[in-house]
Amino acid sequence: MRRRGYDIDSPRGGGKSKLADDAGVHRAAVSRLLQRQSMPDLETMRRLAGVLEVPLRDMLIRSGKLSEDDLPIVTRQQADTAEDAPWLTPQEAARKMGVPPELREIFVKVATQFLSKGT
C-alpha cells in the first residue's frame, strides 16, 4: 500500500480512505483488514488487489489467512505430467468433490477466479 502511495500510517493522512475510494469498497473494510480484525470478502479483496496491482493470490497469502501451500501455483504442464492429477475444469471439480448441484454455479465462479489466464 505504501509503495502505491497510500499513506496508511498517519491517522489523518487519508490513505485508507483514498484506497477504499479507489477500490470502490467501504472504508471500514480497509481499516478492519489493516487492523487484522476481519477478512474482507473475495470481491473486496479482488478490488483491493486490482488497485494495488497485486495478484489476488498474493493478497490472500499476505493477509495471513492462506499460505502458499494452500494456493500452490500449478501450471497446465505440471498438471498434465502428474500421474494422478488430470486437469479438471471447475465444473468437473465441483462434481467430483460432491458440491451440491444448487451450489455448483457459485463454486465454479469462485474457482475460476483462482485460475491463471492461460489455463
Side-chain angles (χ1 to χ4, degrees):
M1 291 180 203
R2 290 178 194 97
R3 279 186 270 169
R4 295 284 179 239
Y6 294 101
D7 180 4
I8 59 169
D9 299 312
S10 112
R12 299 203 183 263
K16 295 173 199 169
S17 294
K18 173 106 172 82
L19 175 59
D21 290 344
D22 289 351
V25 301
H26 199 278
R27 291 177 182 112
V30 173
S31 292
R32 286 191 301 267
L33 173 65
L34 290 171
Q35 295 170 1
R36 297 190 182 266
Q37 291 178 342
S38 69
M39 177 73 159
D41 61 46
L42 187 56
E43 183 57 29
T44 299
M45 291 292 279
R46 178 189 312 290
R47 289 174 181 222
L48 291 169
V51 167
L52 296 172
E53 299 178 15
V54 174
L56 180 58
R57 177 184 182 273
D58 292 351
M59 279 286 284
L60 293 167
I61 291 170
R62 290 178 188 182
S63 73
K65 296 295 182 181
L66 297 170
S67 70
E68 289 189 37
D69 291 336
D70 295 325
L71 295 173
I73 296 175
V74 178
T75 64
R76 181 174 288 277
Q77 182 179 11
Q78 289 171 319
D80 288 344
T81 58
E83 292 177 27
D84 60 342
W87 195 258
L88 297 175
T89 66
Q91 295 84 351
E92 293 169 328
R95 187 179 47 76
K96 287 189 175 205
M97 292 174 59
V99 175
E102 64 273 13
L103 298 176
R104 286 185 187 165
E105 183 178 340
I106 190 76
F107 175 90
V108 169
K109 284 181 181 179
V110 171
T112 301
Q113 296 170 3
F114 291 96
L115 297 174
S116 66
K117 298 293 183 207
T119 58

